[in-house]
Each structure stands twice: as C-alpha cells, then as structure tokens.
Amino acid sequence: MSKIFKTIKKNFKSFFKSYTYRAKFIYTKYYEKLNIDNNSILIQSYEGSSISGNPYYLLKELCTNDKYKKYKKYVVANESKKDEIKNVISKYENVEVVIFHTKKYCKLLATAKYLINNSTFPVYFIKKEGQVYINTWHGTPLKTLGKSILAAPHEIGNTQRNFMMADYLIYPNKFTFNMMKKDYMLDNIFNGKYILTGYPRNEIFYDVENRNKIRKELGLENKKVVVYMPTWKGTLETKNVDEQIEYTIKVIKEMENKLSSEYVVYVKLHNYVTKVLDISTLDNIKLFPEGYETYEFLSIADCLITDYSSVFFDFMNTGKKIILYSYDYEEYITQRGMYLDYKKLPFSLTYNINDLINEITNINKYEDYKDIMKEYIEYDSISASYNLCNYIFNNEVSDNMEI
C-alpha cells in the first residue's frame, strides 16, 4: 500500500510542478470534449524554439494570400523564445503566438483543423479524426536517421508515430523520400500521402529582391558575407557541449584574426552553445541578426561553412561556395553514420583551421556542383509554398509536384 501511495504522491507533485506532465491530462480533456475548429491552423517549428524553415514560409503564404484570409493562424513558441518569435512574425496579421504545453496550446492541438510541423508534436498528441496533419520535416538527410542512427536507434518512437498519424509527408527529393520510408519503417503502414515537391524554405533563395534589401538594411552591399552553421553534436539524451564550445571559440578567434575587413562572418549556433559564447567584442564575427527568419538571412550569403548539416543541400540553390569544416570527422562518423560518402561530396572539404581560412579567402574558387543539384533540389522554386498550400487547401496539383 505504501508503494502505491508513494506513486500517487510522486504523480501529484509532478502534476503541479511540471507543465509538460500536466499538459497530457489537459490535452486529454480537450481531446475528448471539444470539436474541431475548421478555421484554425496550428503551426509548430522545432518544438517552439523558433518559427523558421518550412513552417515559416507556409505561414507567410497563408498570411499573404487572400485565399486563406478566413483562417486564424497560431504559432507555437517556448516561453523563452516568445518575444523573438513575435518579432519575426510581427509583419503578419491574424496570427497569434501560443506557448508550448500551456492550456491554450493543448486546446489548439486537440481542435485545430490543420496542424503543420517540421519535427514532432508531443508524445501525448493523438490526431483526431477530421484533423489534417502536414509534416514537412526539416531537411535532406546526410546523417543517418531513425533505426539507422548508430548511437541512438531507440529514439525513433515519437517521430515514427508522428509520421504514421500525418496526412501528408513532404519530401524535397526522391533520396529523402526513400531514406525516410526505410529508416522509419513506413512502408505498408503509412496511410497518408507522400508529396515530393520544392521545400517551402528554399523558395527564398530565388528572391533576389529580398536578398538585396537585407544586404542594404545591414550595410553589407560591399562585403563578402560568410555564414557558419555547424551541427549540434549529440543525441536527445546527451547534451555535453564543452568540446564543441572549445573548438567553436578557437575557429571564431582564428577567423577574426586572419580575415580582412572585407569579410563578415555570421554564425548560427545551437542554443546550448550560443548561451555560453560571447562574441560581442569581435569586429568581423557576428551572430545572426534578430528579426529575420534563418533562411531569409542565409539567402544573402556569398559562402556557407557547415560540417554535417543538411543545410548545404538547400544552399546549393544559390550556386555559391560551400565549405565543409570537419575537424572531428573520424569521431563523428563512428557515432552517427551517413547515407552518403562524405569525402566524395563536390564541396571544399577542410579538417583544420588553416585550410578553412584559405578556402574562405578564395571565396570564388570552387568546384561546379550542378550535377548533384539535379538530384537533390530538382523541385525547388520560388513557388514552393504557393504550390503546397494550393494542394493541401484547394486540392490543386502543381506540375512541379509528385503525389
């Protein structure tokens, strides 16, 4: 009896102390008692840590096209990110920010007709009959996913169940389509529709007017803009970033000391790294400016530096230089695994800081990669968001789309 009492006491404490624990009870109540609101759309990006990527560009289309004027749009935000997200979406009307795991979030998750996500909804989510769930995912995978993640194949669960509940799974190429089906074991189980189409977030690379506007706003017309976007190394269970911070500080200092003033390097780092890294005293190294969606700002770059991030697939749309800086290649490859032969990618591959600096200073010298573009970004265009919304909401199929 004492064991049962301890369990009840523990759960009682969790209910009042943990909003995530409490949310599953609140969600269940709304799920059972409330009807679907046919004019509401809930949009979530990276568990509310930002409003970026595919969900942002779908939101933009839904807010600027009069076809979707009747819908009320809700954007999910973590409590710590709400002001940042409000700033990014302030230009759009009829949009409300809702805080992750709150009562309002649970209510919308249980009642919104349309649900858009580029990752996953919480473990307590169950799609109600009549809801329409669009999962866009967030990139062409270089690194292995699902059951093929060497260090953490057991983390597949909630992602797989989200995919199985979705009505539409969006993929930007056949390679991603095949890998996701295989490693999340969707064949003969998934009952929705796969859509091969341009990624909404990649349409911004075709907007020259926007690129020029941002460069002018930031006084970068005569600068060589370099973007550094390294991958966060870790699994859901391990968040030790000491080594990453050490190397990041080292490479940032070298770039600051060795690059001339004609270069400006903008860094986009994982939250775990950013909050302990102060670069405010540096002249040529800056964090991504606030007020711009990630890809909106990335589109102005003359060169991208990354390591194992799928962002390079998207940046190929620019035709500009891509540098892979992989100081920890041997260690990383044994823990994660890759779908492609990393060393055969047609980009500038570097393993040390000196070679990295040399590649940056030769910003216009790089191998042509048009052949690989045909395979991975064949559907991308400036109309990606328009086409996808037109299909989901109006059932009109674009020529640049396969269902």
Side-chain angles (χ1 to χ4, degrees):
M1 191 71 181
S2 60
K3 187 175 181 182
I4 295 172
F5 178 76
K6 284 179 181 178
T7 302
I8 293 171
K9 185 179 178 182
K10 180 182 177 183
N11 289 341
F12 189 76
K13 283 183 177 179
S14 296
F15 185 87
F16 286 98
K17 285 186 175 181
S18 170
Y19 63 87
T20 55
Y21 184 86
R22 191 162 58 245
K24 54 188 173 184
F25 296 95
I26 297 168
Y27 173 78
T28 301
K29 180 182 74 172
Y30 288 139
Y31 180 90
E32 292 175 343
K33 293 186 176 182
L34 299 181
N35 296 323
I36 292 171
D37 177 356
N38 289 320
N39 292 324
S40 64
I41 304 171
L42 183 67
I43 300 172
Q44 183 170 311
S45 174
Y46 300 116
E47 299 182 321
S49 64
S50 69
I51 176 61
S52 61
N54 295 320
Y56 172 82
Y57 290 95
L58 292 176
L59 172 68
K60 181 180 177 182
E61 172 66 19
L62 292 167
C63 288
T64 56
N65 190 327
D66 284 344
K67 286 182 181 180
Y68 313 109
K69 204 170 186 177
K70 69 176 182 179
Y71 295 104
K72 173 74 176 180
K73 299 91 179 173
Y74 298 89
V75 171
V76 180
N78 286 332
E79 180 66 41
S80 62
K81 294 289 183 178
K82 65 180 180 182
D83 291 337
E84 182 181 316
I85 289 174
K86 283 179 180 178
N87 186 29
V88 172
I89 65 172
S90 61
K91 64 191 90 168
Y92 303 124
E93 296 180 356
N94 204 23
V95 183
E96 183 181 331
V97 170
V98 58
I99 306 303
F100 198 31
H101 292 310
T102 59
K103 283 185 178 181
K104 183 144 193 183
Y105 172 80
C106 293
K107 182 178 180 180
L108 288 164
L109 189 60
T111 61
K113 173 70 174 180
Y114 295 95
L115 306 167
I116 297 173
N117 203 329
N118 65 356
S119 184
T120 58
F121 288 114
V123 292
Y124 54 77
F125 166 66
I126 305 170
K127 187 175 77 77
K128 187 180 291 186
E129 185 176 352
Q131 287 185 305
V132 179
Y133 178 11
I134 304 104
N135 190 295
T136 70
W137 201 236
H138 50 262
T140 296
L142 170 66
K143 306 179 290 289
T144 51
L145 294 172
K147 66 184 177 66
S148 290
I149 298 177
L150 299 178
H154 59 288
E155 291 181 353
I156 188 175
N158 193 43
T159 305
Q160 185 189 48
R161 67 183 291 276
N162 266 258
F163 290 162
M164 304 245 284
M165 288 187 287
D167 295 276
Y168 302 101
L169 296 178
I170 316 303
Y171 299 128
N173 50 61
K174 292 182 177 69
F175 168 77
T176 304
F177 170 62
N178 289 325
M179 292 304 102
M180 298 294 277
K181 280 200 309 171
K182 176 178 73 73
D183 281 338
Y184 287 99
M185 298 175 282
L186 301 177
D187 276 333
N188 303 316
I189 300 176
F190 176 61
N191 291 316
K193 292 183 179 180
Y194 299 105
I195 305 177
L196 274 71
T197 187
Y199 251 0
R201 70 185 186 189
N202 289 348
E203 67 188 17
I204 195 65
F205 293 118
Y206 296 88
D207 192 338
V208 177
E209 184 180 337
N210 184 74
R211 179 182 186 274
N212 294 336
K213 173 175 161 287
I214 295 175
R215 289 181 75 105
K216 186 174 182 180
E217 287 172 351
L218 298 173
L220 299 171
E221 299 101 314
N222 299 315
K223 293 285 188 178
K224 292 177 179 176
V225 179
V226 178
V227 166
Y228 179 37
M229 296 178 69
T231 312
W232 172 60
K233 285 92 169 179
T235 68
L236 297 178
E237 295 176 351
T238 59
K239 297 177 181 176
N240 187 338
V241 296
D242 291 345
E243 187 175 322
Q244 291 178 64
I245 293 169
E246 180 185 336
Y247 274 101
T248 302
I249 291 172
K250 189 176 179 181
V251 70
I252 283 174
K253 283 184 176 178
E254 286 294 306
M255 287 192 287
E256 170 72 9
N257 293 333
K258 294 187 176 180
L259 293 175
S260 69
S261 59
E262 68 177 322
Y263 293 91
V264 57
V265 180
Y266 285 90
V267 296
K268 180 74 171 177
L269 307 169
H270 194 278
N271 292 336
Y272 295 122
V273 181
T274 302
K275 63 186 178 184
V276 295
L277 187 64
D278 181 16
I279 62 172
S280 59
T281 60
L282 304 182
D283 294 323
N284 299 326
I285 314 295
K286 304 176 185 296
L287 293 175
F288 269 40
E290 294 184 2
Y292 299 102
E293 186 274 332
T294 300
Y295 272 46
E296 184 179 33
F297 185 74
L298 176 62
S299 70
I300 77 167
D302 299 300
C303 172
L304 168 69
I305 305 168
T306 187
D307 43 20
Y308 317 107
S309 171
S310 67
V311 67
F312 70 73
F313 287 107
D314 302 322
F315 192 75
M316 284 195 295
N317 281 285
T318 67
K320 294 179 179 176
K321 186 164 187 172
I322 298 169
I323 303 172
L324 302 178
Y325 176 50
S326 312
Y327 63 85
D328 58 349
Y329 174 77
E330 296 299 335
E331 177 186 356
Y332 189 82
I333 195 73
T334 58
Q335 292 183 12
R336 187 60 191 261
M338 296 187 187
Y339 289 120
L340 302 175
D341 189 333
Y342 188 74
K343 294 183 178 181
K344 289 185 178 178
L345 292 170
F347 310 122
S348 303
L349 183 56
T350 60
Y351 300 103
N352 61 68
I353 294 174
N354 289 334
D355 288 346
L356 173 62
I357 299 295
N358 182 58
E359 287 294 341
I360 295 172
T361 54
N362 286 285
I363 200 166
N364 294 318
K365 184 179 179 182
Y366 54 97
E367 185 180 335
D368 184 287
Y369 49 79
K370 285 180 182 172
D371 288 342
I372 197 172
M373 288 172 70
K374 294 174 187 174
E375 185 173 355
Y376 297 105
I377 57 172
E378 61 176 312
Y379 298 100
D380 283 341
S381 75
I382 200 167
S383 304
S385 295
Y386 175 87
N387 292 339
L388 187 54
C389 287
N390 207 27
Y391 176 65
I392 300 292
F393 291 88
N394 305 311
N395 201 32
E396 295 181 15
V397 182
S398 157
D399 291 337
N400 196 31
M401 180 183 285
E402 291 184 54
I403 313 297

